[in-house]
Amino acid sequence: DQQVKQNSPSLSVQEGRISILNCDYTNSMFDYFLWYKKYPAEGPTFLISISSIKDKNEDGRFTVFLNKSAKHLSLHIVPSQPGDSAVYFCAASISNNAGNMLTFGGGTRLMVKP
Amino acid sequence: DGGITQSPKYLFRKEGQNVTLSCEQNLNHDAMYWYRQDPGQGLRLIYYSQIVNDFQKGDIAEGYSVSREKKESFPLTVTSAQKNPTAFYLCASSTSGQGIAKNIQYFGAGTRLSVL
């Protein structure tokens, strides 16, 4: 039973336009959400996160939106650049869980075309 | 220059052989993790350790073993009991204790394991 889902395996966007990557979750106990970016044959790198007490967090070109009632979060990249082409994973955790564990979605491959 | 080092980058395993993947961190993190990634898939947790000399099974621990004798090191052994070991293996670490920082895991560059 996948608790975190990324339903779009791939997304293609023109350079300079907005990229929107989506993520849905089922476990209402999740209270912290993260986005990671991964290039081929490399480890994921942390991109941005959001606590469930917020509905938006912004860091430069990257903004994460959280809709708790819909159990949905999204990552917006504006403007998109060719270097953003990578696989993006969303992840969720329960902050009070002593295990510090993350549950990952299956990833979305973003391709930004010049 | 703090970080997580995984070695080797590529590893080949023969039938019936055990192989060990190395993971070392100098971030002074208490918690360490091992994940497996298959093509087109997300990351699945194999084992994790929150403190030295203690570790717990993740979602797919069968056929794997770990040790945590030092804070800096968390090696993963892929045993002959793991019938489908070909995958990309990722090690991660995080701080422990309270606060949102403990939710952020930092990853190594990975080891690609293939079966001969």
Side-chain angles (χ1 to χ4, degrees):
Chain A
D1 178 30
Q2 274 190 292
Q3 297 188 64
V4 179
K5 288 186 181 179
Q6 293 175 255
N7 290 317
S8 298
S10 65
L11 174 67
S12 184
V13 170
Q14 203 69 34
E15 181 179 6
R17 306 294 292 267
I18 184 171
S19 295
I20 300 176
L21 296 97
N22 294 303
C23 180
D24 296 295
Y25 62 96
T26 57
N27 189 341
S28 59
M29 297 294 292
F30 288 141
D31 61 356
Y32 198 77
F33 304 90
L34 306 90
W35 284 95
Y36 283 84
K37 175 180 178 179
K38 185 182 181 299
Y39 293 117
E42 294 184 10
T45 55
F46 169 69
L47 197 55
I48 192 169
S49 61
I50 188 166
S51 166
S52 61
I53 63 173
K54 296 185 175 182
D55 55 19
K56 176 183 173 181
N57 188 27
E58 190 172 351
D59 183 2
R61 297 187 297 115
F62 302 91
T63 303
V64 56
F65 295 91
L66 176 63
N67 182 335
K68 281 197 303 181
S69 60
K71 294 191 178 68
H72 176 84
L73 66 154
S74 60
L75 174 68
H76 292 210
I77 306 174
V78 181
S80 301
Q81 299 173 355
D84 296 329
S85 297
V87 177
Y88 290 79
F89 291 98
C90 68
S93 72
I94 303 169
S95 294
N96 291 328
N97 185 333
N100 298 0
M101 302 228 274
L102 294 179
T103 301
F104 284 86
T108 296
R109 181 178 301 279
L110 173 65
M111 292 163 284
V112 180
K113 295 183 284 188
Chain B
D1 189 17
I4 301 174
T5 302
Q6 289 187 241
S7 63
K9 195 169 178 66
Y10 300 96
L11 187 59
F12 297 91
R13 193 192 89 166
K14 295 179 182 177
E15 289 286 339
Q17 186 182 38
N18 294 352
V19 292
T20 297
L21 285 62
S22 170
C23 179
E24 303 277 333
Q25 56 99 359
N26 60 4
L27 299 168
N28 199 32
H29 285 170
D30 289 308
M32 297 187 74
Y33 314 81
W34 274 105
Y35 292 91
R36 168 180 173 142
Q37 187 190 16
D38 292 282
Q41 305 279 326
L43 279 65
R44 293 184 291 167
L45 183 65
I46 305 173
Y47 268 97
Y48 68 99
S49 168
Q50 293 178 261
I51 198 168
V52 174
N53 292 323
D54 187 46
F55 48 83
Q56 284 79 40
K57 294 181 179 180
D59 300 321
I60 54 166
E62 186 173 350
Y64 300 97
S65 66
V66 293
S67 62
R68 188 85 188 277
E69 297 177 2
K70 299 187 300 181
K71 185 176 184 178
E72 303 79 16
S73 179
F74 191 41
L76 173 75
T77 296
V78 184
T79 75
S80 56
Q82 172 48 245
K83 298 306 179 190
N84 184 24
T86 297
F88 190 53
Y89 290 86
L90 288 158
C91 179
S93 69
S94 67
T95 60
S96 59
Q98 300 300 315
I100 61 174
K102 75 179 180 73
N103 293 289
I104 301 173
Q105 294 181 15
Y106 298 89
F107 286 81
T111 292
R112 183 162 301 280
L113 176 63
S114 302
V115 176
L116 290 176

